[in-house]
Amino acid sequence: MSLYASRRSANSIATTLCWVAAIFGLAWLFVILGVLLYEGVRGLSPAVFAEMTPPPGSAGGLLNAIAGSLVMTAIGVAVGTPLGMLAGTYMAEYGRYTKLTMVVRFINDILLSAPSIVVGLFVYTILVHPMGHFSAISGAVALALLVVPVVVRTTEDMLLLVPGSMREAATALGAPRAHVVGKVAYRAAKAGLITGVLLAVARVSGETAPLLFTALNNQFWSTDLAAPMASLPVVIFQFALSPYKDWQQLAWTGALLITVAVLALSIAARALSAGRRKSK
């Protein structure tokens, strides 16, 4: 067999194996999404968005869990996004080659890969235990700590993609460094920065472990940030493990709602990234 024929055979085998692996993974993904869609749609009704989580054997919905997830996610993103953007801006614009940036980047990579339950235990130690009770604000802090590393990484990466010639041109016109960053670098990387925030929201939307140790759960409507608050991930966890059919159905429906929300955020992030590439 010639060298060309052997290389062509190896290429065909490798390509076939890649296709088989891709189809195998996609098939299971479609099976999971299909089962989730089938089971979740059966429980969709106006009551899901209008009634509180019920006791066993009673009709109810997920209103308090949906509202609690939105509140804690909003607070977590509102707190974590500015911190992450400021840290990423420093790493990309001011301290790109400093030792501090290397240390921060290393710690940020660890936080990105750290299990979320570790963050939950940390917040439990510094907030829940001293306060003596679970609370929504503790859950929001845990989510904020998960948001920060995602935003730091995306902010640094997006700002590093901005051509240095744009900064030099602004500096040559006499613009201060802060204006160069805010009016030039941020505007050029706007789509990427927004994408990073959307990815961070998708990252924390389905987190269960940190909320179990911080916000816990609440079967009733609550807007008190100093008290336990319901959330979709925790309700899904609790209802899915129960022996009650009505709770299990609500768990399927809640899982469908989170999946649709995360998929919508992912599609929006990809659309922003595609628009940024086209604008170039």
Side-chain angles (χ1 to χ4, degrees), residues 3-270:
L3 179 61
Y4 172 76
S6 63
R7 288 180 175 177
R8 187 171 181 178
S9 299
N11 179 70
S12 299
I13 294 172
T15 303
T16 302
L17 291 176
C18 289
W19 275 105
V20 170
I23 293 172
F24 181 78
L26 287 174
W28 283 109
L29 175 62
F30 284 121
V31 168
I32 293 172
L33 291 177
V35 172
L36 178 61
L37 186 65
Y38 174 77
E39 296 287 350
V41 168
R42 291 196 304 172
L44 277 178
S45 67
V48 172
F49 305 97
E51 298 183 14
M52 309 300 164
T53 49
S58 302
L62 298 170
L63 176 60
N64 55 329
I66 294 173
S69 289
L70 291 176
V71 168
M72 288 187 283
T73 300
I75 296 175
V77 172
V79 173
T81 298
L83 293 175
M85 289 189 67
L86 289 174
T89 301
Y90 171 80
M91 295 164 65
E93 299 290 338
Y94 294 95
R96 187 177 299 185
Y97 304 108
T98 63
K99 292 183 179 180
L100 176 60
T101 295
M102 296 175 60
V103 173
V104 172
R105 187 181 295 116
F106 175 74
I107 295 175
N108 191 70
D109 290 342
I110 294 176
L111 290 175
L112 273 174
S113 57
S116 59
I117 191 172
V118 176
V119 175
L121 286 171
F122 172 73
V123 176
Y124 177 87
T125 303
I126 66 171
L127 279 182
V128 177
H129 186 264
M131 292 172 63
H133 58 83
F134 299 96
S135 64
I137 195 65
S138 299
V141 170
L143 296 183
L145 292 178
L146 294 173
V147 167
V148 169
V150 179
V151 177
V152 169
R153 168 55 67 85
T154 53
T155 300
E156 182 190 12
D157 289 347
M158 292 303 104
L159 290 177
L160 289 177
L161 291 176
V162 177
S165 56
M166 297 180 65
R167 299 181 181 87
E168 294 168 0
T171 303
L173 293 174
R177 185 66 178 273
H179 286 188
V180 173
V181 174
K183 300 293 183 63
V184 177
Y186 274 4
R187 285 190 177 182
K190 180 173 65 174
L193 298 178
I194 297 174
T195 299
V197 176
L198 293 178
L199 292 175
V201 175
R203 164 79 166 85
V204 302
S205 296
E207 288 293 344
T208 305
L211 296 181
L212 280 172
F213 287 95
T214 53
L216 197 60
N217 199 5
N218 193 336
Q219 191 176 346
F220 307 100
W221 177 268
S222 174
T223 57
D224 185 2
L225 296 179
M229 184 175 287
S231 62
L232 267 179
V234 175
V235 169
I236 292 170
F237 174 77
Q238 178 185 354
F239 283 15
L241 295 180
S242 70
Y244 309 111
K245 294 295 182 181
D246 50 346
W247 277 18
Q248 293 174 4
Q249 182 59 64
L250 282 175
W252 279 111
T253 304
L256 177 63
L257 294 178
I258 288 182
T259 303
V260 170
V262 171
L263 287 176
L265 289 172
S266 300
I267 292 172
R270 288 182 177 274

